[in-house]
Amino acid sequence: MTFTEGLIASGYVFDDENFDDAWVKTDSEGLIHIYQEGEDEGEWNYVKMTEDFDVITEKTFALN
């Protein structure tokens, strides 16, 4: 299973309208979780924020 297939299986949807090329999911507490491919191959960015777009957590990681 690819990383994006895992995101889909976890309930993430691709939302290019509201977020720039990002996979997005809102949890039961109203927090927004975003995964977005980075500039380098295999690099991803993760952001968790409130419904008011206040960032709680932000991380960059490599799948390799």
Side-chain angles (χ1 to χ4, degrees), residues 33-48:
H33 301 264
I34 300 170
Y35 284 93
Q36 189 175 39
E37 280 192 83
E39 293 181 15
D40 295 332
E41 185 176 335
E43 179 183 86
W44 284 81
N45 301 307
Y46 167 75
V47 178
K48 177 170 71 172

Side-chain angles (χ1 to χ4, degrees), residues 11-60:
Y12 284 82
V13 294
F14 189 76
D15 185 351
D16 192 32
E17 261 183 57
N18 299 307
F19 301 93
D20 189 27
D21 292 330
W23 292 89
V24 182
K25 176 171 118 175
T26 302
D27 67 21
S28 61
E29 297 176 2
L31 298 175
I32 302 166
H33 301 264
I34 300 170
Y35 284 93
Q36 189 175 39
E37 280 192 83
E39 293 181 15
D40 295 332
E41 185 176 335
E43 179 183 86
W44 284 81
N45 301 307
Y46 167 75
V47 178
K48 177 170 71 172
M49 65 178 90
T50 67
E51 60 188 16
D52 295 325
F53 304 109
D54 296 320
V55 174
I56 297 169
T57 303
E58 185 172 4
K59 297 181 181 189
T60 300

